[in-house]
Amino acid sequence: MDWPHDPDGEEGSEGRRKYGHAVLAKKVDEDEDFPLTAAEYVEQYGDHPVRIDYETVVSVADIFEHVDQEEFEDFPDFHKSLGRALREADWWPYRLEQA
């Protein structure tokens, strides 16, 4: 896929130093951007790459296909919804051990 910028460059995952949630979160200003709608976020960033792990890159729009909220009241609400979406899509690299 042709990305608007390198997923590992300074605009992407900062040379593979930032993945998933961190890449999505740094696109918003916690104090100024809320409330925020999913449609607004995807309109602005939908074609941007998000590195999930060392071998997987998906678009913001791909992730938001799994987001079940239309609007986010604040940053924690946004963050929790994206966490659920990443887990639903099996793009959450951290797993809890089942006892």
Side-chain angles (χ1 to χ4, degrees), residues 11-13 18-27 41 49-51:
E11 291 182 66
S13 60
K18 296 197 183 290
Y19 291 77
H21 246 145
V23 174
L24 296 164
K26 69 184 278 190
K27 295 180 182 302
Y41 191 88
V50 177
R51 181 165 291 287

Side-chain angles (χ1 to χ4, degrees), residues 27-98:
K27 295 180 182 302
V28 296
D29 182 311
E30 187 172 355
D31 296 323
E32 295 181 17
D33 291 340
F34 293 93
L36 174 70
T37 68
E40 290 171 323
Y41 191 88
V42 172
E43 182 179 326
Q44 187 164 4
Y45 302 112
D47 63 345
H48 286 205
V50 177
R51 181 165 291 287
I52 300 299
D53 57 33
Y54 73 96
E55 60 186 359
T56 308
V57 178
V58 299
S59 71
V60 168
D62 290 341
I63 293 169
F64 270 77
E65 287 179 14
H66 301 274
V67 172
D68 59 2
Q69 269 181 255
E70 292 183 19
E71 184 171 279
F72 312 103
E73 197 60 39
D74 54 24
F75 188 75
D77 188 32
F78 175 78
H79 208 59
K80 288 175 189 176
S81 182
L82 289 173
R84 285 190 302 272
L86 289 166
R87 284 188 295 279
E88 178 183 307
D90 200 27
W91 290 328
W92 189 254
Y94 310 105
R95 309 268 188 264
L96 292 175
E97 291 294 322
Q98 299 294 328

